[in-house]
Amino acid sequence: HIPILIIIMYAFSTDEKTFQFPLPGFTTKWFGVAWERNDIWDAIALSTQVATVSTIIAIFLGTLATLAVYRSQFFGKEVVSFLVILPIALPGIVTGISLRSAMSLFGIPFSTWTIVIAHATFCIVTVYNNVLAR
């Protein structure tokens, strides 16, 4: 947590170009500068949209997958369960690179929807585990 604390500490610094310690002064000026930038608000809006849509998709698909695995007996049930849980078992970077490679292989251009798919893929595991536990 130390790097995050250092970033927070320097967010209040009056120094514009160098990083001195101890801080030369204390200001909230940079928060005002960030508040007025449209690109930051666009990023926050995009993040909120991606989070909302991917959460809805993950809840829907994760619940359906859980119901299918829990209520049915079929050959390969454990394999399906393993494949659903796999994105959380692998390191996030491996899952991300795999999804990006698969999307490129199928000719899917990088867009907001690919980000939504990637987030939903990772969140389905959480929904699946929680619904299955219930």
Side-chain angles (χ1 to χ4, degrees):
H1 294 92
I2 292 174
I4 294 172
L5 293 174
I6 291 171
I7 291 170
I8 291 170
M9 181 181 67
Y10 279 110
F12 292 100
S13 175
T14 56
D15 199 6
E16 291 186 23
K17 296 187 181 189
T18 60
F19 299 109
Q20 300 176 21
F21 190 81
L23 297 178
F26 182 84
T27 183
T28 58
K29 168 187 165 188
W30 305 116
F31 294 97
V33 171
W35 184 267
E36 295 172 359
R37 292 184 54 173
N38 289 330
D39 57 339
I40 290 176
W41 287 108
D42 292 342
I44 291 171
L46 179 63
S47 295
T48 304
Q49 291 170 356
V50 167
T52 303
V53 174
S54 62
T55 300
I56 291 168
I57 291 170
I59 289 171
F60 181 72
L61 293 178
T63 303
L64 289 178
T66 305
L67 292 174
V69 169
Y70 181 73
R71 292 186 177 177
S72 304
Q73 291 298 329
F74 56 91
F75 178 74
K77 180 178 175 178
E78 291 79 20
V79 173
V80 170
S81 183
F82 176 73
L83 289 175
V84 171
I85 295 173
L86 192 61
I88 206 164
L90 294 173
I93 191 72
V94 172
T95 303
I97 291 171
S98 300
L99 282 169
R100 183 66 184 125
S101 296
M103 289 177 192
S104 294
L105 185 67
F106 291 113
I108 300 171
F110 187 68
S111 67
T112 303
W113 287 108
T114 57
I115 297 170
V116 168
I117 291 168
H119 281 81
T121 300
F122 194 77
C123 292
I124 285 172
V125 180
T126 306
V127 174
Y128 178 83
N129 285 335
N130 286 318
V131 174
L132 192 60
R134 292 282 174 193

